[in-house]
Amino acid sequence: AEARRAGEEHHEAVQAERDDLLGRVQRVSADYLNYQKRAARDTEEARQYANADMAKAMLDVLDDLERAIEHGRAGHPDDDPPLVGTDMVYQKALAALKRFGVEPVEAMGKPFDPALHQAVMRQPSEDVEPMTNVAEAQKGYTLHGRTIRPTMVVVATAPEPEAETDGETDGETEGEAAADAAGDDPSQ
């Protein structure tokens, strides 16, 4: 009976060790699968964003072309050959970057989004809701949906309430009125 019990205990110990080893193999297998997925995702991301530095450098060229077109339109007819040629080069450069996933960020009239926009100035406005982009100082771009350069924008704020004119007379400021009361001449 004792040998039988010892055999059962040994059998149970072997089964427990087998279950432990099986659990370890399953965890290692799951970790390896996760590693493979992560490595594939990292490789794809690296491939997708490998051209980010080149794309950023090209954005300065696009900016220069935009400025040239803008200044050319100011003093020349729309069918002016140098202006038409510059616009064609700009459109081709934009299309080439688009093939590699570079897209301009639309900002005008859109709500301010800190992931896409960089506020460079605030401007009181009654025409649009506060925190709406009302002007674009520099175009922004994304690469496969990731911002590589935010759009520099002017953001609308609520208009300032008009100051009351209590204590002011004939267009004098409070400082001038106080100086007059004290007998000082602020213009000296």
Side-chain angles (χ1 to χ4, degrees):
E2 211 172 284
R4 187 174 163 195
R5 196 172 19 162
E8 286 177 3
E9 287 176 1
H10 176 69
H11 179 68
E12 289 175 7
V14 169
Q15 280 184 332
E17 186 176 347
R18 182 202 65 191
D19 291 346
D20 180 54
L21 290 173
L22 182 60
R24 286 182 184 182
V25 167
Q26 288 173 337
R27 282 190 295 278
V28 167
S29 179
D31 287 345
Y32 182 68
L33 286 174
N34 288 336
Y35 164 76
Q36 285 181 317
K37 290 176 187 176
R38 185 172 50 253
R41 186 176 56 243
D42 290 348
T43 301
E44 175 60 22
E45 187 173 300
R47 186 192 65 73
Q48 233 180 4
Y49 298 106
N51 296 328
D53 290 337
M54 183 274 307
K56 286 179 188 177
M58 288 301 298
L59 298 181
D60 292 334
V61 175
L62 284 179
D63 291 342
D64 290 344
L65 287 170
E66 278 183 1
R67 281 189 286 275
I69 292 166
E70 187 177 309
H71 290 292
R73 285 193 178 132
H76 299 89
D78 286 344
D79 62 348
D80 184 44
L83 180 60
V84 170
T86 304
D87 190 48
M88 287 173 58
V89 170
Y90 172 74
Q91 294 301 327
K92 283 185 177 184
L94 200 57
L97 287 172
K98 192 172 194 168
R99 281 195 309 269
F100 290 97
V102 177
E103 298 276 344
V105 174
E106 296 298 322
M108 288 300 298
K110 306 271 187 196
F112 178 78
D113 179 354
L116 297 172
H117 309 127
Q118 179 180 349
V120 293
M121 197 166 78
R122 292 185 287 177
Q123 178 177 324
S125 176
E126 294 178 358
D127 301 333
V128 295
E129 291 290 318
M131 297 304 291
T132 300
N133 300 325
V134 294
E136 190 175 284
Q138 184 182 45
K139 193 174 287 292
Y141 294 87
T142 60
L143 176 62
H144 299 291
R146 180 188 292 175
T147 303
I148 58 174
R149 184 174 83 182
T151 303
M152 292 185 182
V153 294
V154 177
V155 181
T157 60
E160 295 286 326
E162 299 220 6
E164 294 186 26
T165 58
D166 292 342
E168 296 181 16
T169 57
D170 297 330
E172 288 183 328
T173 64
E174 287 182 28
E176 290 171 336
D180 284 345
D184 296 331
D185 186 0
S187 61
Q188 292 180 356

